[in-house]
Amino acid sequence: METERRSSEPRGSEALPETQSLRRFFGGSRSSVQAEIQLQQRAFATGTTATGTTVRGKSEVSLPLHARVSEVSEIESELRWYDVAGSDEAVYTASLTPSCFSLVLVCALRGVSIWMPMMLITPIGVLQFSVLYIICFASPQYLFASGVWLLPNSASKSLSVMKSFATVLMLGQIAEEFHEISESMKVLRQSRLSITRGRRLLGCWLCISIQYIQALMVMVTSGQVILGRQNPIEPLWMTYYVFMTLSFDNMLVKFIMYVRTMERHTIWKVEISHPETPTSRTRSQRLDFAQRLAVLWVPLVLAASVSILCRVFNVLPITLLRYGPVSNEKPVVMFSSLSLPAGCCPSVASINNSYADTVSVSVPCLSPEAPEDWPNRPLVYWVASPSHKAMPTSLQIREGRTSDGSKALLAGHVEAKPLELWPWMSRHGYEAQDIDTVLGKLNDETLGIGLYHRTFAYVAEIQVHPFPWFEEVAIYAIARNRVTGALSPKPAVSNVLHGKRCPPHCEICDRQGQCRRCQEGFRKDKDSTCHPCPEGCLRCPHGTSQCTKCKAKFGLVPYASKQICVPCSSDNCQSCDGPVQGAIPPSALPCHTCDPFYGLDLHGHCQRCEDENCLHCEGGSGCTACASGFVLDFGENVTCALCGPGCLSCSQKNVCSQCQEGFRLTAKGQCKACRPNCRTCDADAPRRRRQRREDYCEFGGCFPGFGWQKRHWGFLIRPECEACRVQHCVSCDHNAHFCTECSEDFGVTTSGGCFRCGLGCTSCRLAGSCLRCSDGFVLREHQCEPCADRCQKCTAAGPAHCDQDGCFPGWTAVQATWDEGPQSFVCRPCSDPDCPKCDIKGPGNCDDVPE
């Protein structure tokens, strides 16, 4: 602002056009009454009347009789101000830079309504504050980019120089803005509005406050975006954006004033009072200094200090305010971003069988801190986002937002727990050789990972409830190091879930995942999930205490208003059902009927028949029925004689009544072979020209590994048995590429394939029911569950459950302090990789030095 002493010459002809320009800008031409009042007002300010008569007091002012009361009061206030100025103050002219905020002050001083400029300030202020909000709070790219936090310090010298230069330019521009605010406050303090207490004065102070707050926000925001740039040219662009944000209202007002009034004003002049006496001049100088110090120098010094402190502590101001002190040291890496062999280890999302509409997600990660030494476990953040959108950044996931900045369908965070990778991988279906390969790669020093040497595995078990089934959704997750604040460079993404699947052990279910019928050996609960029946029970539709059918080698016994299954006393028993004598159920039941080739003795046990071809006998001797293909021969001793080639049963030798598989019975009682790979063929099929009856293989009558297929030979249709194209398949009728029955140790999948019984299982009868496990696994409820990592022997499955002497060579058992169990041991590597065994107290002492 520039000031000059007011001349003694009349200035009514100079001030009036500016006032008329403002009136034309906000409301067009005024009435002649208002023009006359304004003219008399300005004429009196110069010491003359409207006709040129010099006056010294309010009694000499002439006003029209029809002047409004509000206009009279306005002139009286001006008269009081000039009366005061005439005593110990002089009237000066001050200059203001045109802007939306100074426009309000000029209008208030020149008697024009301030509501119109206030209405102009509102959208501009909202727009400027919105831009600052978007940069500070809705733009993660200004805080986190390329997988790391944006920090002030950089290894590039050119980038550091450009940041320093741009910071100085920013402070200079902000200083100019604070200077304009300080001059506007001085004008308002020394103008005639200072002696009033009206709405105009409050409106002017409100505008100045808004302008000051906006300048402070621009100062903080510009420091954030300039110091956080990673390219040398970007800091200058950020400085340019700061200039445009601050000068937007100035340019807009200049443009509108020129278009509206066709007059271009580079500066606006207003009148203020200036003290003439030494006392008043000293008081005014002190007020000016205090105002300039508080409004201009204090913010600039604080801004410069914050910029220096940001460089010293390597943190940005807004990042510090929102997230606290952060750095990029020791980030927690997600397993899925390591590109490990065998596709290990993605975040697996699966339907939770315990709770309806709940999806469980297992998210593994690697942390540089050991669970035994570091109580602050990683914190894992996750979001549920539609799969058609791009992958969100790590900061967006922490904020619970998707890649476009919108709010995620669901979001949350959980604390990670220490993970044993071997149990986790086996539980999610990895083969044993894949586990060895992945663990070997993780321990390879060339990868820089060094599992259990320098990094340790953690896992976050996330429960998403209720899951948004109305969209195809994927789960994205990242981890945060609680000590350093570092985020995972790359998020982990789960498989896409877009529909509910049948729960485990469910035979039939609807589209919503509600089970309608369970498999044998399981019962359907109220929550439509399948729970296992008691031991030995095959069907229990009314609860675990009411079994209606037992498995083989078990007998159904009514006991204490219950139906329970008790094992038979003999392994070769076929039926042992019956009542129980006594108050306590027996551990075994006497047999009633034995398996084939066994006979029942007097004690209820099954004995092997003496004749190997005898099907039924009495106490091991005295054959009563022969096996298939044999007939009783009543000679010196009762024996079983062969019926004939391909014969299954007969009443006498060479007169067959039933043929073996792959043969058909002729009219003469002979067995003739069917077509290749055919187990049963139709003997009653009509004879056709040039076609034999053995050509008609029955549906489902092929040998294992073959399927029944129709083949067209001209007008003839000839069923044939073709080999199945699915490995380990037993039957594939109608489609050689879709298996309907698998061989032992394998089960049929929904896609018609055959999969093994399970990981770590060396022997099993039914799919999912194991009998014997390999090293590193323990048998539990017919399932092979893995021990801890590098653990060869354990009595319980899962993390930290290795036996004290159960680790593989080169590893030692260490007490797991983070586990609550008294006998919790994990395997840690010995200091010497060639050491087969080291001290149990620590991995550093080798007990057995190899030769």
Side-chain angles (χ1 to χ4, degrees):
M1 180 193 71
E2 297 180 359
T3 58
E4 58 180 8
R5 188 180 181 91
R6 197 174 71 91
S7 173
S8 60
E9 297 297 329
R11 297 184 68 256
S13 59
E14 297 179 4
L16 185 58
E18 295 186 9
T19 305
Q20 291 177 347
S21 299
L22 291 175
R23 295 186 185 280
R24 290 200 310 271
F25 175 66
F26 289 112
S29 59
R30 296 287 185 175
S31 62
S32 59
V33 176
Q34 296 171 336
E36 184 178 356
I37 293 175
Q38 185 67 36
L39 182 60
Q40 293 181 7
Q41 180 180 355
R42 294 300 179 182
F44 183 77
T46 59
T48 60
T49 63
T51 58
T53 306
T54 302
V55 297
R56 290 295 302 169
K58 292 181 284 186
S59 59
E60 299 297 331
V61 178
S62 60
L63 293 173
L65 296 177
H66 56 279
R68 291 182 296 184
V69 178
S70 60
E71 295 170 345
V72 174
S73 62
E74 179 180 350
I75 295 178
E76 289 178 352
S77 65
E78 289 192 5
L79 293 175
R80 288 195 301 271
W81 183 70
Y82 281 114
D83 198 18
V84 173
S87 58
D88 60 348
E89 295 180 349
V91 178
Y92 278 73
T93 300
S95 301
L96 295 177
T97 303
S99 67
C100 292
F101 300 98
S102 59
L103 180 61
V104 176
L105 182 58
V106 172
C107 290
L109 293 175
R110 296 189 180 277
V112 181
S113 176
I114 65 173
W115 293 112
M116 289 300 293
M118 288 288 288
M119 293 298 293
L120 183 62
I121 286 178
T122 302
I124 296 176
V126 170
L127 180 60
Q128 291 176 324
F129 279 112
S130 300
V131 171
L132 298 176
Y133 174 81
I134 291 173
I135 295 176
C136 295
F137 298 98
S139 299
Q141 64 271 20
Y142 293 113
L143 308 177
F144 190 90
S146 301
V148 295
W149 291 104
L150 298 180
L151 301 177
N153 296 336
S154 174
S156 175
K157 295 183 179 180
S158 60
L159 179 59
S160 300
V161 171
M162 293 300 291
K163 286 183 179 181
S164 302
F165 180 67
T167 302
V168 173
L169 291 180
M170 179 269 297
L171 293 177
Q173 179 66 18
I174 293 295
E176 183 178 351
E177 185 75 10
F178 284 140
H179 176 73
E180 293 179 3
I181 296 173
S182 178
E183 295 301 322
S184 298
M185 295 175 65
K186 181 178 179 181
V187 167
L188 186 60
R189 184 166 48 83
Q190 296 181 358
S191 66
R192 66 175 182 273
L193 290 177
S194 60
I195 63 175
T196 64
R197 296 294 183 269
R199 289 177 295 179
R200 291 189 176 184
L201 180 63
L202 294 178
C204 292
W205 280 115
L206 177 62
C207 291
I208 292 177
S209 301
I210 294 175
Q211 187 180 11
Y212 186 68
I213 295 174
Q214 175 185 303
L216 292 176
M217 291 186 62
V218 170
M219 180 180 63
V220 176
T221 305
S222 58
Q224 170 82 18
V225 296
I226 289 175
L227 294 178
R229 295 303 89 198
Q230 302 300 311
N231 189 289
I233 197 62
E234 290 180 352
L236 292 181
W237 281 111
M238 292 298 104
T239 308
Y240 173 76
Y241 295 152
V242 172
F243 293 169
M244 294 299 295
T245 302
L246 289 174
S247 305
F248 175 74
D249 54 338
N250 302 31
M251 295 184 295
L252 181 63
V253 167
K254 290 179 181 179
F255 174 75
I256 295 178
M257 287 289 292
Y258 180 75
V259 173
R260 188 79 171 93
T261 64
M262 297 304 292
E263 297 177 5
R264 187 174 183 275
H265 301 278
T266 56
I267 57 174
W268 288 339
K269 293 184 178 182
V270 293
E271 294 172 342
I272 61 173
S273 63
H274 189 73
E276 292 290 341
T277 62
T279 302
S280 60
R281 187 182 301 108
T282 302
R283 183 175 63 254
S284 178
Q285 290 176 354
R286 290 177 179 177
L287 290 176
D288 292 344
F289 176 77
Q291 173 184 297
R292 188 176 295 106
L293 179 65
V295 177
L296 175 60
W297 292 110
V298 171
L300 289 179
V301 172
L302 288 177
S305 302
V306 168
S307 179
I308 296 174
L309 292 177
C310 288
R311 293 293 188 91
V312 173
F313 294 100
N314 197 26
V315 65
L316 296 178
I318 297 179
T319 305
L320 180 65
L321 292 176
R322 294 186 59 181
Y323 305 105
V326 298
S327 69
N328 295 316
E329 298 179 359
K330 297 183 179 181
V332 181
V333 181
M334 313 309 291
F335 261 102
S336 58
S337 63
L338 296 177
S339 301
L340 295 174
C344 179
C345 298
S347 302
V348 181
S350 59
I351 299 175
N352 193 323
N353 302 317
S354 302
Y355 306 96
D357 294 332
T358 301
V359 168
S360 300
V361 188
S362 183
V363 184
C365 56
L366 278 178
S367 175
E369 306 293 342
E372 294 85 1
D373 304 330
W374 189 42
N376 295 324
R377 301 172 184 174
L379 201 61
V380 176
Y381 295 83
W382 62 271
V383 295
S385 175
S387 58
H388 60 82
K389 293 186 177 181
M391 178 183 292
T393 64
S394 299
L395 185 57
Q396 287 175 329
I397 294 176
R398 182 180 175 181
E399 291 290 324
R401 301 188 177 277
T402 59
S403 57
D404 57 0
S406 59
K407 187 177 180 180
L409 300 177
L410 289 174
H413 64 274
V414 295
E415 186 182 66
K417 300 179 180 179
L419 167 69
E420 297 291 340
L421 191 58
W422 183 289
W424 188 91
M425 293 182 64
S426 60
R427 189 168 63 249
H428 292 88
Y430 285 90
E431 296 291 342
Q433 57 270 21
D434 294 338
I435 296 178
D436 292 336
T437 302
V438 172
L439 289 180
K441 291 293 185 180
L442 289 174
N443 289 312
D444 190 358
E445 297 296 329
T446 59
L447 291 179
I449 297 174
L451 185 62
Y452 303 121
H453 290 272
R454 293 190 305 275
T455 58
F456 298 84
Y458 288 83
V459 65
E461 300 294 344
I462 302 171
Q463 301 293 330
V464 184
H465 175 79
F467 192 81
W469 293 109
F470 50 86
E471 287 196 47
E472 293 186 356
V473 173
I475 306 299
Y476 299 90
I478 58 101
R480 178 173 68 90
N481 189 324
R482 289 184 173 180
V483 176
T484 65
L487 300 182
S488 301
K490 186 177 180 181
V493 57
S494 73
N495 50 310
V496 179
L497 297 179
H498 52 81
K500 293 188 177 180
R501 304 173 183 175
C502 291
H505 310 294
C506 180
E507 189 173 354
I508 299 176
C509 67
D510 57 14
R511 295 180 60 185
Q512 298 300 322
Q514 300 294 323
C515 188
R516 295 288 179 252
R517 187 173 67 190
C518 295
Q519 299 173 355
E520 287 189 342
F522 296 86
R523 62 180 179 85
K524 187 166 69 72
D525 207 347
K526 295 180 180 180
D527 56 357
S528 297
T529 57
C530 297
H531 298 275
C533 296
E535 183 182 4
C537 183
L538 194 61
R539 295 178 184 174
C540 55
H542 305 295
T544 57
S545 62
Q546 296 296 331
C547 187
T548 59
K549 184 179 179 181
C550 294
K551 296 180 180 179
K553 314 304 179 184
F554 285 84
L556 186 63
V557 176
Y559 172 75
S561 68
K562 298 180 181 179
Q563 295 283 344
I564 61 176
C565 294
V566 179
C568 300
S569 59
S570 179
D571 292 338
N572 305 109
C573 183
Q574 194 173 49
S575 174
C576 60
D577 296 341
V580 176
Q581 301 296 333
I584 301 176
S587 58
L589 295 175
C591 187
H592 302 316
T593 306
C594 294
D595 291 338
F597 305 103
Y598 287 86
L600 187 65
D601 61 10
L602 297 178
H603 301 287
H605 294 86
C606 296
Q607 301 292 334
R608 177 72 181 182
C609 298
E610 294 180 353
D611 192 339
E612 62 179 5
N613 297 319
C614 182
L615 187 62
H616 298 290
C617 59
E618 296 178 356
S621 62
C623 187
T624 57
C626 293
S628 176
F630 294 86
V631 65
L632 288 174
D633 185 6
F634 299 94
E636 183 178 354
N637 294 321
V638 180
T639 60
C640 294
L642 184 63
C643 292
C647 185
L648 186 62
S649 64
C650 59
S651 57
Q652 58 182 348
K653 289 183 179 182
N654 299 323
V655 180
C656 192
S657 59
Q658 186 180 1
C659 295
Q660 297 179 2
E661 291 181 346
F663 294 84
R664 65 179 180 86
L665 184 64
T666 64
K668 296 180 180 181
Q670 303 295 319
C671 292
K672 299 295 183 182
C674 299
R675 292 186 61 83
N677 305 321
C678 181
R679 185 176 55 184
T680 58
C681 49
D682 191 359
D684 298 328
R687 184 183 296 274
R688 298 189 181 183
R689 185 167 59 92
R690 297 181 182 179
Q691 185 173 1
R692 296 178 298 178
R693 282 176 290 185
E694 58 266 24
D695 291 338
Y696 291 92
C697 189
E698 295 181 355
F699 175 74
C702 297
F703 281 107
F706 296 86
W708 188 86
Q709 313 291 338
K710 284 185 178 181
R711 289 294 175 262
H712 297 268
W713 298 83
F715 294 99
L716 301 178
I717 298 177
R718 177 183 296 176
E720 294 182 353
C721 293
E722 294 186 3
C724 298
R725 306 300 182 186
V726 180
Q727 192 176 10
H728 307 293
C729 183
V730 174
S731 177
C732 56
D733 293 333
H734 289 303
N735 189 348
H737 298 277
F738 191 93
C739 189
T740 56
E741 183 181 354
C742 294
S743 61
E744 188 178 1
D745 296 340
F746 291 87
V748 180
T749 64
T750 56
S751 60
C754 295
F755 281 175
R756 293 186 179 274
C757 299
L759 179 64
C761 182
T762 58
S763 176
C764 68
R765 292 180 179 177
L766 301 176
S769 180
C770 192
L771 299 177
R772 188 171 63 254
C773 299
S774 59
D775 290 342
F777 292 85
V778 61
L779 186 63
R780 181 182 179 185
E781 297 181 357
H782 303 287
Q783 299 289 335
C784 289
E785 298 185 0
C787 303
D789 286 357
R790 298 306 180 188
C791 180
Q792 189 176 14
K793 183 178 60 175
C794 63
T795 56
H801 286 158
C802 188
D803 292 350
Q804 190 168 354
D805 57 347
C807 293
F808 280 101
W811 297 72
T812 183
V814 177
Q815 182 74 34
T817 57
W818 43 267
D819 194 271
E820 298 178 357
Q823 297 296 327
S824 300
F825 292 95
V826 292
C827 295
R828 291 293 180 258
C830 299
S831 58
D832 187 358
D834 297 328
C835 179
K837 184 180 180 181
C838 51
D839 191 0
I840 189 63
K841 297 181 180 179
N845 300 323
C846 188
D847 294 342
D848 187 7
V849 180
E851 296 181 359

